Amino acid sequence: MSKPEEVVDQVPEDEGSDIEAGGLFEDPPDFYPPSPPPTTEHYTMKNGDDITLHLVGHSPLEAHTLWNGAVIISQYFEEHPEEVKDRTVLEIGAAAGLPSLVAAVLGAKKVVVTDFPDPDIVDVMRKNIRGCPMLAVDREEDRNIVADGYVWGGKEAPLLAHLGEQKEGEIGFDVLILADLLFRHSEHSKLVDTIQFTLKKKPGSKAFVVFTSYRPWLQHKDLAFFDLARERGFTVDKFLEVKTEKALFENDPGDEEIRKTVTGWTVRWPTDDEKAAAQADA
């Protein structure tokens, strides 16, 4: 790369002073649009308690949006608190972390809420934890929820470390949450890797995968995630389908009914009976 002074030598003498002053390379003050400011959303629990959710102003990782999948799985946990109460929970790609906050409020033993290790995103998750009055504690270490950065498919040890020492055969999380992540088709393999690395190999452990096909013409690619999970030895069950009042992105193209539909699936290790049946059919 040429040095700045070498560039000056290549232009007429009467222009050199502007370059030396940096004028040629300075963008006008309004050349770039300002970054969108952070936003705030609210989630009201069934008992009337309010959870304030701070979101980053903009993120190429889509962490600036409160996705329908996060809202729907949070409502599901409220209707079925036994799914998270006294259990260990890991959420990946959490953005604001609503389902994790709800799980913690409902009495989860330990919740680890994660997203890409971008400082702004992780700070927002921690801010939402600290700002939730139902999770107030005298000492930070006594809180049953912690936020951390995590890259999908990465090493599981830092995540498992939040759980402390675990018995052999019981290593991992009881519950995983993946809310509206399947539109990232190139990451499906890493998402399944994360489930394999972190889901406890024990009956009752399951990953909740909740999503909308926001691009209806690519719905088959969203659903391909479950084919991959089955290929890796998991059992997949559909447990939920909800139609929202309106599409999250109202002006987007594609079938509106599909864009309003949220489906929920569990990905779990097969039971011994299911393994035996599969072997018999092979």
Side-chain angles (χ1 to χ4, degrees):
M1 180 180 293
S2 299
K3 297 179 181 178
E5 58 267 25
E6 294 174 335
V7 176
V8 173
D9 290 342
Q10 297 171 14
V11 299
E13 192 170 324
D14 59 348
E15 295 180 19
S17 59
D18 289 339
I19 299 175
E20 289 173 352
L24 184 64
F25 297 106
E26 288 183 1
D27 295 321
D30 59 350
F31 184 78
Y32 294 106
S35 296
T39 59
T40 302
E41 299 276 359
H42 290 271
Y43 175 85
T44 303
M45 298 189 67
K46 293 169 72 73
N47 64 1
D49 287 341
D50 179 78
I51 296 178
T52 299
L53 299 163
H54 300 278
L55 296 119
V56 295
H58 175 71
S59 168
L61 303 172
E62 312 296 341
H64 57 289
T65 300
L66 178 59
W67 295 86
N68 283 340
V71 174
I72 295 301
I73 191 60
S74 297
Q75 293 171 344
Y76 176 83
F77 288 152
E78 285 201 79
E79 294 167 0
H80 304 275
E82 70 280 0
E83 296 283 16
V84 293
K85 184 176 173 56
D86 298 325
R87 311 191 82 195
T88 56
V89 179
L90 169 67
E91 183 177 6
I92 63 173
L98 173 61
S100 290
L101 293 167
V102 170
V105 171
L106 293 174
K109 181 178 180 181
K110 186 72 174 185
V111 180
V112 181
V113 53
T114 72
D115 207 320
F116 189 81
D118 173 276
D120 290 340
I121 298 175
V122 177
D123 285 348
V124 160
M125 292 191 297
R126 290 173 176 160
K127 183 177 183 179
N128 290 337
I129 292 170
R130 293 192 302 269
C132 184
M134 294 81 80
L135 298 175
V137 292
D138 292 330
R139 300 187 308 162
E140 195 69 27
E141 56 266 32
D142 292 336
R143 209 185 302 271
N144 68 338
I145 179 171
V146 61
D148 206 350
Y150 177 69
V151 177
W152 302 342
K155 294 185 180 298
E156 70 275 19
L159 301 177
L160 298 176
H162 290 294
L163 300 179
E165 187 174 352
Q166 292 184 292
K167 297 179 182 179
E168 186 175 351
E170 295 196 1
I171 296 173
F173 291 85
D174 300 308
V175 174
L176 268 61
I177 304 169
L178 291 75
D180 271 326
L181 306 183
L182 299 193
F183 67 93
R184 295 193 177 277
H185 304 141
S186 64
E187 301 300 303
H188 283 185
S189 182
K190 293 178 182 178
L191 290 172
V192 178
D193 287 344
T194 298
I195 296 174
Q196 286 186 305
F197 298 159
T198 61
L199 185 63
K200 185 181 294 184
K201 294 180 174 64
K202 187 176 179 181
S205 299
K206 63 186 88 170
F208 290 92
V209 183
V210 185
F211 77 103
T212 292
S213 288
Y214 293 102
R215 297 170 293 177
W217 59 95
L218 295 178
Q219 187 178 50
H220 63 289
K221 289 193 174 185
D222 298 337
L223 293 169
F225 170 85
F226 300 108
D227 294 331
L228 180 59
R230 293 183 185 97
E231 290 172 9
R232 300 277 191 91
F234 288 103
T235 297
V236 176
D237 303 297
K238 184 177 180 181
F239 71 95
L240 174 149
E241 182 169 323
V242 174
K243 189 73 66 73
T244 59
E245 290 185 7
K246 59 183 180 179
L248 182 60
F249 306 107
E250 294 185 78
N251 297 322
D252 276 8
D255 188 317
E256 184 180 15
E257 292 305 304
I258 293 177
R259 293 188 293 112
K260 289 165 54 178
T261 302
V262 181
T263 59
W265 308 69
T266 57
V267 176
R268 59 180 176 81
W269 301 105
T271 64
D272 291 339
D273 288 344
E274 289 170 332
K275 289 178 183 178
Q279 291 175 349
D281 293 338

